[in-house]
Amino acid sequence: MTSAPFTADHPLRIGTRGSPLALVQANEVARRLREAHGLEDAAVEIVPIVTSGDREQVRPLAEIGGKGLFAVELETALHEGEIHLAVHSMKDVETVLHDAFEIVAMLPREDTRDAWVSPAAAHPRDLPQGAVVGTASLRRGAQIRAMRPDIKIVNFRGNVQTRIDKLASGDVQGTLLALAGLKRLGLEDKATCLLDAPEMIAAVGQGAIGIEIRKDAEDVRAAVAVLDDADTSLCVGCERAMLAELDGTCRTPIGGHAVLIPGGRIKLTAVLLAEDGSQAFRFEEDAAVADARALGTRAGRTLKQEAGEDFVANMG
């Protein structure tokens, strides 16, 4: 990769998935980079890359390799120098990155809540007996089942607009989408209601946009690090420490959401569930911000202890 200043002749290349939401997020990163460094438009280039997760739109992610399928082609492009940085939704980033890469910045976090989208019911609790809800997220499905054990969950994949359009078929009576994505796409009005803790705890990293680079790309690091929102990185780092302790994957229903609270402290709310919602182990504690990652690790350890060896052995 060039070490020269980024110009129209040597642009900073941003890799991203090609979905409408991913492109919005990548363009926001591009806008902030141009603004931060006074770059002309042509000095920052968006490079859409089709990922394995985008090509396979039918089977659940858990069956085809997990959320890392949204990053493998982007990381290959990073490794080969085809792009300088990759933009991710942090909820799609694997808990442990390859040694060659790191997340060097996160943009200010959007609203972390999940949106209930339904033509049939104002809230999941209001659905008729035995109704069908579409979601590809085990976390969302398990929390809906914990709320309403009679509800049937079916796999429901695709980009945000695709899933909204699928509702019109009538095959499902509702779905859940990240409010952050709806806001970024200007579709916030599609939300029937918003779900919050304790009945719906967000995914780790939900609402946060992360920027991944090669560790050896010092010129890129210098350009990108200025975009980092320290509060977002602190909270997401706490959540990801919890996930790492749990060895959490997309095959495990886990929610985790950290927020800063007065007094220089951080509070983490987390849940570990059985896929059918029949068991839910919860954690809520706060700590000094200096101990954010330790709080996440403690949360993961506590949840594993409360769930017990048999439950943990069946995770993943």
Side-chain angles (χ1 to χ4, degrees), residues 128-191:
Q129 189 75 15
V132 180
V133 169
T135 179
S137 163
L138 294 185
R139 172 191 62 87
R140 288 171 175 148
Q143 290 184 94
I144 288 292
R145 284 174 169 138
M147 189 189 310
R148 283 284 305 274
D150 61 291
I151 286 177
K152 180 182 179 183
I153 302 294
V154 297
N155 186 48
F156 207 61
R157 291 195 55 209
N159 65 43
V160 171
Q161 188 62 60
T162 297
R163 282 180 277 170
I164 290 173
D165 292 343
K166 281 182 178 180
L167 281 176
S169 71
D171 292 339
V172 303
Q173 281 73 60
T175 191
L176 298 107
L177 298 166
L179 178 60
L182 291 177
K183 282 188 168 185
R184 289 175 179 137
L185 289 169
L187 297 172
E188 187 179 359
D189 62 333
K190 300 296 184 181

Side-chain angles (χ1 to χ4, degrees), residues 1 23 55 113 143 169 207 242 258:
M1 291 182 185
L23 290 170
R55 282 194 292 268
R113 287 175 292 178
Q143 290 184 94
S169 71
M242 181 267 293

Side-chain angles (χ1 to χ4, degrees), residues 116 121-128 144 147-148 150-151 195 199:
W116 169 245
H123 189 282
R125 285 192 301 265
D126 301 325
L127 286 167
I144 288 292
M147 189 189 310
R148 283 284 305 274
D150 61 291
I151 286 177
L195 304 179
E199 64 185 4

Side-chain angles (χ1 to χ4, degrees), residues 36-291:
H37 300 292
L39 299 173
E40 58 183 317
D41 287 354
V44 182
E45 179 184 348
I46 304 294
V47 182
I49 295 172
V50 178
T51 70
S52 301
D54 294 314
R55 282 194 292 268
E56 170 57 76
Q57 289 287 316
V58 178
R59 289 180 293 167
L61 283 176
E63 292 182 5
I64 58 174
K67 59 189 179 183
L69 291 178
F70 290 125
V72 63
E73 284 86 358
L74 290 169
E75 289 183 338
T76 297
L78 268 180
H79 176 72
E80 295 179 354
E82 296 171 9
I83 58 174
H84 296 95
L85 59 97
V87 177
H88 304 288
S89 293
M90 282 305 300
K91 68 181 178 62
D92 293 332
V93 175
E94 291 276 42
T95 313
V96 179
L97 295 179
H98 187 281
D99 288 344
F101 309 117
E102 65 179 307
I103 301 292
V104 291
M106 296 185 206
L107 302 192
R109 199 172 200 174
E110 216 353 315
D111 197 312
T112 61
R113 287 175 292 178
D114 281 308
W116 169 245
V117 183
S118 172
H123 189 282
R125 285 192 301 265
D126 301 325
L127 286 167
Q129 189 75 15
V132 180
V133 169
T135 179
S137 163
L138 294 185
R139 172 191 62 87
R140 288 171 175 148
Q143 290 184 94
I144 288 292
R145 284 174 169 138
M147 189 189 310
R148 283 284 305 274
D150 61 291
I151 286 177
K152 180 182 179 183
I153 302 294
V154 297
N155 186 48
F156 207 61
R157 291 195 55 209
N159 65 43
V160 171
Q161 188 62 60
T162 297
R163 282 180 277 170
I164 290 173
D165 292 343
K166 281 182 178 180
L167 281 176
S169 71
D171 292 339
V172 303
Q173 281 73 60
T175 191
L176 298 107
L177 298 166
L179 178 60
L182 291 177
K183 282 188 168 185
R184 289 175 179 137
L185 289 169
L187 297 172
E188 187 179 359
D189 62 333
K190 300 296 184 181
T192 305
C193 76
L194 303 179
L195 304 179
D196 209 344
E199 64 185 4
M200 185 63 65
I201 297 175
V204 165
Q206 187 156 315
I209 297 170
I211 303 172
E212 183 181 22
I213 69 165
R214 279 174 33 173
K215 283 183 178 178
D216 61 1
E218 293 301 327
D219 53 339
V220 183
R221 182 191 306 279
V224 171
V226 297
L227 300 189
D228 186 52
D229 181 76
D231 290 352
T232 298
S233 288
L234 186 75
C235 289
V236 174
C238 175
E239 296 164 12
R240 285 174 63 81
M242 181 267 293
L243 202 60
E245 183 67 20
L246 283 168
D247 297 321
T249 70
C250 72
R251 296 176 290 279
T252 311
I254 298 170
H257 181 219
V259 294
L260 299 180
I261 58 176
R265 299 186 70 79
I266 183 170
K267 181 176 76 170
L268 175 62
T269 303
V271 65
L272 169 65
L273 304 108
E275 188 174 342
D276 64 1
S278 61
Q279 292 176 284
F281 306 95
R282 298 182 182 274
F283 176 96
E284 183 171 299
E285 287 186 19
D286 63 84
V289 293
D291 299 321

